[in-house]
Amino acid sequence: GTSFPLVSRGMNEVGLAAKLTCVICSRTRTVHVSSLKIRKTNVVSVMSPAGCPHVNGFKVDNWKQNLRVIYQCFVWSGSAETRKRKAKSCICHMCGAHLNRLHSCLSCVFFGCFTKKHIHEHAKNKRHNLAIDLLYGGIYCFVCQDYIYDKDMEQIAKEEQRKAWKLQGRFFPLFNPSVGPSGLHHSVGEKYSTWEPTKRELELLRHNPKRRKITTNCTIGLRGLINLGNTCFMNCIVQALTHTPLLRDFFLSDRHKCEMQSNSCLVCEMSQLFQEFYSGHRSPHIPFRLLHLVWTHARHLAGYEQQDAHEFLIAALDVLHRHCKDDNGKKANNPNNCNCIIDQIFTGGLQSDVTCQVCHGVSTTIDPFWDISLDLPGSSTPFWPLSPGGDGSTLNGESHLSGATTLTDCLRRFTRPEHLGSSAKIKCSGCHSYQESTKQLTMKKLPIVACFHLKRFEHSAKLRRKIPTYVSFPLELDMTPFMASSKESRMNGQYQQSVDVYSLFAVVNHQGTLESGHYTTFIRQHKDQWFKCDDAVITKASIKDVLDSEGYLLFYHKQFLEYE
Amino acid sequence: MKMEDMSLSGLDNTKLEALAQDIYSDLVEDACLGLCFEVHRAVKQGYFFLDDTDQESMKDFEIVDQPGVDIFGQVYNQWKNKECVCPNCNRSIAASRFAPHLEKCLGMGRNSSRIANRRIASSNNMNNKSESDQEDNDDVNDNDWSYGSEKKKRKSDKVFLHSLKQHIPLVSFIAVEIHVLYVVFLSTCNCKGANR
């Protein structure tokens, strides 16, 4: 763990001490970095550009190309050869050091270290006023005695850095990962750069000093929702969605560009919803427009007495997906090749393997899914045993001592090999005849947000009831054992590493009976704070409250996002 | 420290350890320097101050964790009088009754078709006496929303059927007759929830 407290912050100096803490033994170590002196005059005149007039002497003839060469050879080393060349040739011409903040003169071929002031000497002797830091590419002006930021020169630096990173084979897919048919990544994105305000924006911000910063003890991002008449089924889903980190980031960075003509885009309404949640308003929001839009676009939902939150979730995701524009500019019409934010976050792939009992040939299909519906003990279909000859080993830290069913139990049952009986013979392409088979489901691809639906509402021909069986679910869930790749590893006798670890971030609960009930949601903010959302009332909750609750819809978020 | 080609194979563990430590120190110092540059640039370009917050604003948004109030420090259940404007008919509706209103307004749900057909029927009806009473019954009957009110619906169904039989002229009788059969079917059918 690292923290970077600013140790001194006078008008002239910014000093930094980095305090590093070992996560294993907790020993700390402080590293002092020599301070960068900021000239008082330069700080005061922030309205003028952060460049300096002394670069004009440099910006003559073929300066752009010269500068590019310097960046390519001595700063951003793209290929292995340039790296070697840099390592060997970039040494101080006076003392031979290759560290000590080496700088290159911009006017001639001279390398000098900064800490021993060898580059300063060169600058004075030769009247070469500009030098470049070989580690980060910053331009130093010896007349101003400070690092300067010239727009044109920075532009060249950025371009060269991008080129070098591409050469090094680094790919940065932001909201645009695309995997070709061979499974190889073929889309290259940009290096992430933070937002910088323009001059006009800076001016505005300076004149409006009141700020809302989202810290851990801040209510911003939390807001109640008015119940529009038994619409808690909608409110609970809205709370879960507005607290899905990736979705929040997508909308708050204004990534939805609407193509729809009328005012009926649900994605726009979603965007508006995030604005409402982060507005700082304390009174609950009235989501009447949202209800109207969902019902006009998902007519099958409206008009039933008691609505199911799970149904609403699927319908809402479906409408959002339809209204989303693919990042490549195509409409999200092709379900197999959509790249919209909904698919990127919620869509997983469920693999179904049907094995012929005679020839052991396997027929595999992969279907997309947005949620995983799990049967519970107590329903008409028998739950135990989980699989023929199933074991009772513990997983995910859940014990069976108390006898409570765990989420992992449900998942194991979901992914168990199932013997399809003699009445359900499958036509085997290997045997060219109908044979008995076993079917097994595994996760081919897990979505970034995995939603588990505990099937508490039974609607069979004979009865309709709610199954209140308590299912214990963990805060952290390891999905690795349920992956298709793990199944293969197991079959090959290989050890599966835990790579698919998920964290719980929202729990939707249903209280009451099938005929009349109420939905509430627990959501997670700022890593370990939990809140209970009960329509218009938001209160603080403990982790124990969350984990002790019955659970109907469980939302888990992948812990480590990898580049595809 | 001059740059030279060095073979690692001849070195013992302590030397390797020391080398690794040196490289690690250099990397850490470089990383810290990078951060210094970021701060320096932010100050010079003038956007460093953006990270500042004013204490008053921060106090305004502090989470409250006390019984009887929500995280904003507000008492529960004070939001009774919220209103909204229906996007379909532009009428101002009480927020807590918006959903049942919208269901009818959009012409969805079983009841809406019944009301619509009744309106068709009554427009052909010379004797409008009992019609308005039934409309009021329906609007009041927003308990349609839960299962508990089934009995109430059946009652109004019966009233509807009775008045129809008495007053409808022959021309529209057949159309209404079909609908009447449909309504009777619905009220006796137990499969409401199974249409999902």
Side-chain angles (χ1 to χ4, degrees):
Chain A
T2 317
S3 62
F4 288 94
L6 238 50
V7 291
S8 66
R9 209 171 133 191
M11 276 298 278
N12 296 340
E13 201 170 309
V14 174
L16 275 175
K19 187 174 167 194
L20 301 135
T21 312
C22 175
V23 292
I24 297 167
C25 69
S26 303
R27 264 187 293 182
T28 60
R29 184 196 146 154
T30 311
V31 174
H32 288 278
V33 182
S34 53
S35 53
L36 297 169
K37 285 204 166 56
I38 301 166
R39 302 291 294 179
K40 190 167 179 176
T41 48
N42 287 343
V43 172
V44 166
S45 64
V46 272
M47 297 310 270
S48 57
C52 76
H54 311 109
V55 297
N56 296 331
F58 172 76
K59 287 182 178 179
V60 292
D61 301 328
N62 202 15
W63 72 272
K64 280 196 181 177
Q65 191 51 33
N66 293 341
L67 191 61
R68 280 189 198 280
V69 170
I70 294 176
Y71 274 112
Q72 282 165 17
C73 296
F74 305 125
V75 184
W76 316 120
S77 319
S79 60
E81 297 92 65
T82 36
R83 276 202 294 277
K84 244 192 200 157
R85 182 175 49 195
K86 176 181 173 177
K88 289 203 166 157
S89 60
C90 292
I91 54 172
C92 177
H93 285 192
M94 288 177 65
C95 69
H98 68 278
L99 297 169
N100 296 337
R101 283 171 67 188
L102 203 64
H103 281 60
S104 164
C105 175
L106 276 187
S107 312
C108 71
V109 181
F110 180 91
F111 299 120
C113 50
F114 194 93
T115 34
K116 302 235 175 88
K117 302 250 190 267
H118 294 154
I119 189 78
H120 299 68
E121 268 186 62
H122 170 85
K124 204 168 80 172
N125 296 342
K126 296 285 177 96
R127 303 234 181 97
H128 291 169
N129 296 329
L130 301 169
I132 182 170
D133 165 49
L134 295 186
L135 195 53
Y136 288 102
I139 311 282
Y140 190 87
C141 172
F142 290 95
V143 182
C144 300
Q145 289 186 51
D146 197 8
Y147 286 93
I148 53 104
Y149 303 100
D150 179 85
K151 210 168 99 174
D152 299 324
M153 293 167 92
E154 282 206 300
Q155 180 62 28
I156 291 173
K158 233 192 252 182
E159 284 166 16
E160 291 308 314
Q161 185 179 42
R162 201 182 300 152
K163 279 191 221 167
W165 284 46
K166 260 193 191 176
L167 274 176
Q168 279 180 3
R170 294 193 218 193
F171 300 103
F172 298 90
L174 293 178
F175 294 107
N176 187 13
S178 59
V179 182
S182 60
L184 290 172
H185 189 89
H186 62 255
S187 134
V188 177
E190 293 282 303
K191 178 186 175 222
Y192 174 76
S193 56
T194 52
W195 166 81
E196 263 175 50
T198 61
K199 254 169 59 176
R200 171 80 184 124
E201 282 166 344
L202 264 182
E203 221 180 286
L204 284 169
L205 287 163
R206 208 176 295 280
H207 287 135
N208 297 284
K210 287 194 108 186
R211 301 249 187 285
R212 276 179 221 147
K213 189 170 176 180
I214 301 173
T215 57
T216 44
N217 201 26
C218 190
T219 58
I220 308 252
L222 296 163
R223 198 161 172 200
L225 291 165
I226 293 280
N227 187 312
L228 305 171
N230 274 350
T231 57
C232 51
F233 68 90
M234 175 177 80
N235 288 350
C236 70
I237 297 299
V238 170
Q239 293 289 0
L241 291 177
T242 51
H243 294 96
T244 301
L246 280 187
L247 206 58
R248 174 202 65 203
D249 291 350
F250 176 83
F251 283 107
L252 287 182
S253 51
D254 213 14
R255 291 206 144 226
H256 170 61
K257 308 291 176 217
C258 196
E259 299 271 296
M260 285 181 77
Q261 313 289 41
S262 55
N263 258 1
S264 64
C265 175
L266 189 68
V267 190
C268 286
E269 183 57 34
M270 197 79 211
S271 186
Q272 187 56 31
L273 206 61
F274 278 96
Q275 294 297 314
E276 294 283 348
F277 268 71
Y278 283 84
S279 62
H281 286 135
R282 293 193 192 89
S283 60
H285 174 63
I286 311 174
F288 67 98
R289 265 196 322 266
L290 184 72
L291 185 70
H292 175 250
L293 279 177
V294 174
W295 277 3
T296 46
H297 291 295
R299 292 227 148 202
H300 67 281
L301 265 192
Y304 288 98
E305 287 97 349
Q306 285 278 294
Q307 302 265 358
D308 180 17
H310 173 246
E311 259 192 281
F312 180 83
L313 170 69
I314 300 302
L317 288 179
D318 183 54
V319 178
L320 286 169
H321 158 76
R322 278 188 272 134
H323 289 187
C324 261
K325 192 164 80 98
D326 185 335
D327 273 310
N328 291 329
K330 300 177 209 124
K331 260 290 184 179
N333 280 327
N334 183 354
N336 296 326
N337 200 19
C338 180
N339 215 13
C340 68
I341 189 67
I342 300 296
D343 273 326
Q344 284 181 44
I345 297 177
F346 294 100
T347 302
L350 188 64
Q351 180 166 320
S352 171
D353 296 315
V354 177
T355 311
C356 172
Q357 289 301 86
V358 174
C359 70
H360 299 290
V362 185
S363 158
T364 303
T365 51
I366 298 174
D367 289 308
F369 70 86
W370 276 333
D371 69 309
I372 298 164
S373 288
L374 300 167
D375 287 312
L376 300 181
S379 70
S380 341
T381 48
F383 189 86
W384 304 99
L386 293 179
S387 56
D391 61 347
S393 59
T394 60
L395 201 63
N396 282 321
E398 303 157 9
S399 73
H400 289 261
L401 295 171
S402 55
T405 320
T406 66
L407 179 66
T408 314
D409 289 334
C410 296
L411 282 168
R412 276 204 251 136
R413 184 177 180 279
F414 185 76
T415 54
R416 77 198 186 291
E418 199 185 338
H419 293 294
L420 304 173
S422 48
S423 54
K425 283 187 182 169
I426 306 288
K427 175 125 190 231
C428 173
S429 50
C431 302
H432 301 292
S433 59
Y434 284 87
Q435 303 293 351
E436 282 193 33
S437 51
T438 55
K439 176 176 148 186
Q440 188 174 18
L441 296 173
T442 47
M443 314 288 174
K444 174 69 179 171
K445 177 198 165 222
L446 275 173
I448 295 176
V449 170
C451 170
F452 298 107
H453 168 225
L454 302 180
K455 289 160 79 175
R456 294 197 176 279
F457 299 116
E458 187 151 27
H459 295 278
S460 63
K462 286 182 227 167
L463 39 77
R464 296 163 67 225
R465 63 183 173 122
K466 181 180 172 188
I467 300 162
T469 315
Y470 174 68
V471 175
S472 93
F473 47 89
L475 207 52
E476 315 266 287
L477 176 67
D478 185 1
M479 288 295 291
T480 318
F482 310 111
M483 302 296 293
S485 50
S486 298
K487 181 182 159 196
E488 281 166 34
S489 302
R490 272 198 299 269
M491 282 174 10
N492 295 336
Q494 287 166 350
Y495 167 69
Q496 331 145 22
Q497 266 195 322
S498 281
V499 289
D500 292 300
V501 184
Y502 282 72
S503 298
L504 186 69
F505 74 93
V507 178
V508 170
N509 281 302
H510 178 270
Q511 292 131 292
T513 62
L514 194 125
E515 285 79 30
S516 81
H518 182 53
Y519 287 105
T520 54
T521 310
F522 285 112
I523 51 103
R524 190 177 190 172
Q525 277 267 82
H526 305 303
K527 191 149 199 277
D528 284 321
Q529 286 194 55
W530 285 87
F531 296 91
K532 183 175 183 182
C533 304
D534 185 349
D535 285 332
V537 179
I538 314 289
T539 47
K540 209 158 188 312
S542 68
I543 295 180
K544 187 175 187 302
D545 292 335
V546 179
L547 296 179
D548 284 350
S549 66
E550 202 178 66
Y552 176 53
L553 296 174
L554 308 171
F555 291 84
Y556 284 86
H557 199 290
K558 197 158 194 234
Q559 271 186 11
F560 302 109
L561 299 181
E562 286 165 25
Y563 301 120
E564 281 176 26
Chain B
M1 211 183 9
K2 219 173 147 85
M3 185 70 132
E4 56 192 48
D5 273 311
M6 209 167 128
S7 165
L8 291 175
S9 53
L11 299 171
D12 62 19
N13 266 349
T14 40
K15 286 239 175 76
L16 283 174
E17 189 65 40
L19 266 179
Q21 192 66 14
D22 276 344
I23 294 171
Y24 171 72
S25 294
D26 291 341
L27 286 173
V28 169
E29 298 254 352
D30 286 348
C32 295
L33 185 68
L35 184 69
C36 286
F37 275 121
E38 276 179 33
V39 174
H40 180 270
R41 185 168 188 277
V43 174
K44 274 207 95 162
Q45 301 278 50
Y47 58 84
F48 185 71
F49 75 97
L50 293 179
D51 224 22
D52 293 341
T53 52
D54 59 303
Q55 288 304 316
E56 286 166 36
S57 292
M58 293 318 293
K59 281 222 185 60
D60 277 345
F61 296 106
E62 258 178 20
I63 290 171
V64 174
D65 186 11
Q66 298 195 3
V69 291
D70 62 14
I71 53 163
F72 305 104
Q74 295 161 146
V75 182
Y76 307 159
N77 295 326
Q78 53 172 291
W79 315 109
K80 303 279 187 193
N81 300 324
K82 291 280 181 179
E83 286 203 346
C84 53
V85 175
C86 174
N88 204 42
C89 64
N90 283 317
R91 276 161 61 189
S92 183
I93 311 286
S96 58
R97 292 160 55 76
F98 178 71
H101 160 81
L102 189 66
E103 190 198 13
K104 294 196 199 89
C105 197
L106 287 177
M108 295 167 167
R110 307 168 302 126
N111 303 316
S112 301
S113 62
R114 181 159 57 90
I115 298 164
N117 279 302
R118 184 191 301 152
R119 288 204 185 110
I120 295 168
S122 62
S123 68
N124 296 320
N125 188 355
M126 297 303 148
N127 194 346
N128 286 343
K129 205 166 39 166
S130 51
E131 192 247 313
S132 52
D133 293 342
Q134 280 146 30
E135 284 246 8
D136 284 340
N137 249 355
D138 258 304
D139 284 336
V140 160
N141 215 2
D142 286 341
N143 292 343
D144 284 352
W145 209 241
S146 62
Y147 285 98
S149 65
E150 279 173 32
K151 287 180 189 163
K152 254 193 191 168
K153 277 199 296 273
R154 290 223 181 92
K155 189 179 169 198
S156 55
D157 277 353
K158 284 177 188 161
V159 171
F160 172 45
L161 287 170
H162 178 69
S163 68
L164 268 182
K165 280 175 186 165
Q166 279 183 325
H167 299 291
I168 294 207
L170 188 64
V171 173
S172 50
F173 179 87
I174 294 163
V176 174
E177 179 74 345
I178 293 167
H179 178 73
V180 162
L181 286 170
Y182 176 64
V183 168
V184 170
F185 168 75
L186 274 183
S187 62
T188 52
C189 175
N190 278 328
C191 67
K192 286 164 246 173
N195 306 0
R196 293 186 176 193

